[in-house]
């Protein structure tokens, strides 16, 4: 069952990003109230202006990450960006 879940996350970048954020929130004890539907995928990094690769299985320079705009609020709607 675990392998099937990994396959689904690999084909669903929003789900993968959301799952990683949930793990980070649990590890760091911060609020987590988002779903994958709250995540808006962008083609280019708004800071570095590089194209993001959502299909890579390893972390690299152009891997997307989710950021909390105001860290103390946690992963909540309207407080996240890629």
């Amino acid at each position: 069952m675990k392998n099937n879940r990994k396959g689904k996350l690999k084909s669903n970048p929003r789900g993968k990003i959301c799952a990683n954020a949930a793990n980070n929130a649990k590890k760091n004890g911060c609020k987590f109230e988002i779903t994958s539907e709250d995540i808006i995928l962008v083609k280019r990094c708004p800071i570095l202006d590089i194209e993001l690769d959502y299909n890579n299985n390893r972390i690299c320079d152009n891997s997307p990450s989710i950021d909390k705009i105001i860290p103390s609020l946690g992963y909540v709607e309207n407080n996240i960006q890629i």
Side-chain angles (χ1 to χ4, degrees):
M1 182 170 160
K2 195 171 194 177
N3 287 339
N4 187 28
R5 182 174 178 258
K6 282 186 178 181
K8 286 181 180 179
L9 290 178
K10 183 178 175 183
S11 65
N12 178 4
R14 291 188 323 168
K16 182 178 178 181
I17 292 168
C18 191
N20 288 338
N23 288 334
N24 286 338
K26 184 176 181 179
K27 184 171 94 174
N28 297 316
C30 69
K31 190 181 283 190
F32 182 84
E33 297 177 349
I34 61 169
T35 67
S36 60
E37 287 79 28
D38 296 317
I39 297 171
I40 299 170
L41 301 180
V42 295
K43 290 186 179 195
R44 301 191 70 78
C45 172
I47 305 300
L48 301 175
D49 195 34
I50 59 173
E51 188 170 345
L52 298 174
D53 183 359
Y54 290 94
N55 297 315
N56 203 332
N57 290 329
R58 59 186 172 83
I59 297 173
C60 55
D61 290 341
N62 63 339
S63 296
S65 65
I66 190 168
D67 295 321
K68 299 177 298 265
I69 297 167
I70 302 171
S72 61
L73 296 179
Y75 297 96
V76 296
E77 189 177 4
N78 299 318
N79 191 49
I80 57 168
Q81 64 185 10
I82 298 298

